[in-house]
Amino acid sequence: MGLAETYLVGTPVWDLAKKVLHHDPLRGTPVSAPTVEILGCPLQFKEETVNFAVRKTRVSKNANQLQRSPSRFAINFHRYPFS
């Protein structure tokens, strides 16, 4: 139970599985979840996926900009002495 709990508990998929089963197999406890909440889980997954893709695209664009013109982003270290 310890190993499974380490990887499953707190993940969105595990939370959905418990809601669908109306039972937590690891703890042996009942789980109450209305149908609306169960049906909303895939929409939440979709939203998280879209948000991740948007963040990944932004990071990729910034990395490409940096690669094209590194001098624009370079810090002039001799102007800012550390001592």
Side-chain angles (χ1 to χ4, degrees):
M1 181 163 100
L3 184 63
E5 199 167 9
T6 303
Y7 290 104
L8 292 176
V9 174
T11 63
V13 174
W14 180 246
D15 291 339
L16 175 61
K18 290 187 307 186
K19 290 174 187 176
V20 169
L21 296 172
H22 294 282
H23 180 76
D24 184 347
L26 291 178
R27 296 190 175 96
T29 57
V31 175
S32 68
T35 305
V36 173
E37 192 175 321
I38 294 170
L39 293 174
C41 283
L43 297 175
Q44 183 181 356
F45 296 152
K46 178 75 172 176
E47 182 181 344
E48 290 172 4
T49 304
V50 168
N51 289 340
F52 175 76
V54 168
R55 284 195 310 270
K56 185 176 177 182
T57 301
R58 284 184 193 146
V59 169
S60 179
K61 284 181 182 178
N62 290 343
N64 289 339
Q65 265 186 335
L66 180 60
Q67 203 168 22
R68 281 194 302 269
S69 57
S71 61
R72 183 174 169 204
F73 297 96
I75 297 173
N76 195 348
F77 286 108
H78 70 276
R79 293 177 89 191
Y80 307 102
F82 294 102
S83 55

